[in-house]
């Protein structure tokens, strides 16, 4: 047997189109595979590894926690939940937190909150506004909220009660909800991740906040990917100066330890009572310690400022590298959540980049997505561009050659 990942496993379900690479260890933003090949990690476990790999402050803290206690159950108080909740509340301006284990679980809790918010006000069939190209997860409810037919195909009947609208168009949401008193919430990502790194405009977010207030809707912002400092603010919506009512978090919150959280403000904080929602693993001491230490280290090491600064540097360097290239439509995003949209599907670049020693993803078929760890330096950002730019140029030149032939 080889320790090296094979294309198809005899025993693991075939749910991922995996690269034939098995990563064995990491240090900072570098990882090594089972053969000893080194990669620069611009994917960060899909916006999960906030502190990079083998962080010298995180690892001993988690080792200590594991030796103390890993899991207890929510039959008992978990003081670390109190601590992490306080840290999240202080940084978000919201008031209360429910802990779970993943992004879809956080979103599922948000959807339940919105429905009960409706029922509590006598709305029997509550409806929730969601967006084109949104991604909220792969449970039955969250895939129904997702705006990607590929994610939904084969899993109908979908959960009802969603109204879908385009992004950044306040007239469209007004028209879609006109005279509909069953609407209870609007649910969206500040910057869509899987949908292709698509930012909501700040002025649209402020108009949406006003519309939610006018209609009594909950504003529920899925910050699972764009939150936790990635854009240079704790939460991406903070750039627009707005406050949500409900905010699901996950990916970057535990630096790789599975965790999810729903943070709620006054309108949503006391909708759930005992028996309304729960999870066995949610809020266990190991995950909570990972969250607490992630936030502590991010602050000690100034990682918000770093994400903003190095992100801007990386974005500018990408824009420069691709200036005048016809096949590059746009470089967009904020902080260390960046996308490069090409004019045609470019999934093959993922393997080619890995061959060249760079880990990236391609989302929405033709958007190269870079979501590296927040510890990335300018020099490492330059290295990403130096590795990526020639691959993109060669890729686009192939098409030009093909078209000319
Ligand atoms: C990844 C993601 C999810 C789903 O999170 P899982 O932990 O994979 O369930 C939900 N929403 C957004 C915005 C995401 O990026």
């Amino acid at each position: 047997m080889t320790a090296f990942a094979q294309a198809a496993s005899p025993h693991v379900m075939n749910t991922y189109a995996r690269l034939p690479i098995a990563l064995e260890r990491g240090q900072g933003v570098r990882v090594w595979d089972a053969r000893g090949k080194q990669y620069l990690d611009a994917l960060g476990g899909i916006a999960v590894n906030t502190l990079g790999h083998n962080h010298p402050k995180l690892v001993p803290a988690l080792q200590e926690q594991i030796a103390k206690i890993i899991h207890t159950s929510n039959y008992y108080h978990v003081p670390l939940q109190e601590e992490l909740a306080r840290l999240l509340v202080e940084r978000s301006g919201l008031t209360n937190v429910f802990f779970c284990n993943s992004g879809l679980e956080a979103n599922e809790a948000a959807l339940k909150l919105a429905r009960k918010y409706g029922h509590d006000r006598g709305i029997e069939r509550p409806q929730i506004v969601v967006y084109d190209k949104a991604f909220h997860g792969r449970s039955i409810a969250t895939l129904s909220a997702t705006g990607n037919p590929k994610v939904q195909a084969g899993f109908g009947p979908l959960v009802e009660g969603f109204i879908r609208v385009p992004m950044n168009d306040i007239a469209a949401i007004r028209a879609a909800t006109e005279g509909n008193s069953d609407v209870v919430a609007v649910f969206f990502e500040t910057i869509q991740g899987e949908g292709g790194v698509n930012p909501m405009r700040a002025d649209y977010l402020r108009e949406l906040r006003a519309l939610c207030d006018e209609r009594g809707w909950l504003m529920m912002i899925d910050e699972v990917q764009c939150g936790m400092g990635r854009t240079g603010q704790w939460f991406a919506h903070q750039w627009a100066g707005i406050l949500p009512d409900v905010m699901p978090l996950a990916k970057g919150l535990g630096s790789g330890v599975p965790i999810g959280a729903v943070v709620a403000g006054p309108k949503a904080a006391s909708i759930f009572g005992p028996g309304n929602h729960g999870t066995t693993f949610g809020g266990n001491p190991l995950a909570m310690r990972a969250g607490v230490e992630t936030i502590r280290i991010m602050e000690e090491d100034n990682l918000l400022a770093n994400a903003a600064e190095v992100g801007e540097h990386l974005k500018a360097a990408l824009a420069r590298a691709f200036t005048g290239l016809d096949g590059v439509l746009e470089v967009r995003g904020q902080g260390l959540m960046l996308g490069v949209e090409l004019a045609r599907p470019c999934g093959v670049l993922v393997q080619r980049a890995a061959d060249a020693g760079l880990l990236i993803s391609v989302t929405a078929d033709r958007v190269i997505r870079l979501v590296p760890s927040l510890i990335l330096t300018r020099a490492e950002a330059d290295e990403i561009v130096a590795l990526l730019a020639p691959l993109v140029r060669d890729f686009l030149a192939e098409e030009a050659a093909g078209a000319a032939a």
Side-chain angles (χ1 to χ4, degrees):
M1 282 298 288
T2 161
F4 195 60
Q6 298 302 312
S9 159
H11 303 304
V12 176
M13 279 195 202
N14 184 26
T15 57
Y16 304 100
R18 299 176 197 268
L19 299 190
I21 295 169
L23 300 173
E24 210 169 57
R25 68 192 173 87
Q27 186 64 52
V29 296
R30 319 247 169 217
V31 287
W32 287 264
D33 72 15
R35 291 173 304 188
K37 181 175 165 70
Q38 180 183 299
Y39 304 84
L40 178 58
D41 183 5
L43 180 65
I46 321 184
V48 165
N49 299 319
T50 303
L51 304 176
H53 302 274
N54 194 24
H55 193 284
K57 293 177 184 171
L58 180 69
V59 171
L62 293 185
Q63 283 170 333
E64 183 214 44
Q65 186 60 50
I66 286 168
K68 238 195 227 170
I69 198 160
I70 296 173
H71 177 83
T72 60
S73 118
N74 286 303
Y75 278 11
Y76 313 105
H77 283 277
V78 180
L80 281 164
Q81 287 185 14
E82 301 297 330
E83 195 174 338
L84 182 54
R86 181 180 56 81
L87 294 175
L88 291 173
V89 158
E90 286 171 359
R91 281 151 193 79
S92 63
L94 303 178
T95 61
N96 293 79
V97 186
F98 172 83
F99 289 109
C100 51
N101 311 289
S102 69
L104 83 77
E105 277 183 56
N107 287 336
E108 192 79 29
L111 296 172
K112 282 181 70 176
L113 273 176
R115 282 196 168 186
K116 187 154 185 302
Y117 174 77
H119 283 270
D120 288 350
R121 309 160 109 220
I123 298 171
E124 292 297 316
R125 305 187 67 78
Q127 299 193 315
I128 299 168
V129 177
V130 292
Y131 285 78
D132 289 341
K133 298 188 190 171
F135 181 82
H136 297 300
R138 292 171 178 277
S139 67
I140 297 290
T142 58
L143 75 81
S144 299
T146 288
N148 179 348
K150 281 191 205 157
V151 172
Q152 298 172 335
F155 300 107
L158 300 182
V159 171
E160 60 181 310
F162 294 109
I163 297 171
R164 197 168 301 281
V165 299
M167 277 179 101
N168 292 326
D169 183 346
I170 204 76
I173 184 171
R174 281 186 178 278
T177 57
E178 179 82 52
N180 184 342
S181 55
D182 287 339
V183 176
V184 292
V186 180
F187 184 40
F188 60 91
E189 302 148 84
T190 313
I191 303 176
Q192 292 181 336
E194 304 307 303
V197 191
N198 308 313
M200 290 243 184
R201 287 197 324 265
D203 62 316
Y204 177 78
L205 288 169
R206 289 190 285 267
E207 286 176 316
L208 199 52
R209 179 67 268 182
L211 187 63
C212 288
D213 293 339
E214 177 190 317
R215 306 276 174 92
W217 301 340
L218 295 177
M219 175 180 256
M220 308 204 301
I221 310 189
D222 178 349
E223 292 252 358
V224 165
Q225 187 162 158
C226 57
M228 288 313 295
R230 180 149 295 282
T231 65
Q233 295 269 11
W234 279 108
F235 308 107
H237 66 265
Q238 291 173 329
W239 288 107
I242 57 160
L243 212 55
D245 300 301
V246 177
M247 176 174 67
L249 299 174
K251 290 196 166 83
L253 177 54
S255 295
V257 177
I259 187 171
V262 188
V263 191
K267 270 166 89 177
S270 33
I271 293 172
F272 283 162
N276 285 144
H277 199 50
T279 153
T280 301
F281 290 119
N284 89 22
L286 174 60
M288 296 299 97
R289 186 69 185 270
V292 166
E293 296 296 337
T294 296
I295 292 175
R296 184 179 66 80
I297 296 165
M298 285 175 73
E299 280 177 347
E300 256 179 38
D301 295 0
N302 263 320
L303 295 186
L304 291 194
N306 191 68
E309 219 175 277
V310 176
E312 201 159 310
H313 176 80
L314 177 56
K315 190 177 177 183
L318 288 166
R320 263 195 315 277
F322 297 132
T323 312
L325 267 187
D326 262 358
V328 179
L329 302 185
E330 193 180 18
V331 177
R332 60 177 176 252
Q334 190 161 16
L336 289 172
M337 182 169 182
L338 298 175
V340 180
E341 181 173 359
L342 303 192
R344 68 178 164 116
C346 59
V348 296
L349 286 175
V350 175
Q351 176 71 61
R352 291 187 194 175
D355 291 343
L358 175 68
L359 302 183
I360 59 166
S361 77
V362 166
T363 188
D365 294 335
R366 52 198 179 86
V367 181
I368 300 165
R369 174 177 48 176
L370 305 174
V371 282
S373 301
L374 307 192
I375 60 169
L376 192 80
T377 64
R378 277 169 178 255
E380 289 158 348
D382 290 338
E383 219 181 306
I384 291 175
V385 180
L387 288 165
L388 184 62
L391 294 174
V392 172
R393 275 190 225 108
D394 290 351
F395 173 76
L396 294 171
E398 282 163 26
E399 179 193 29

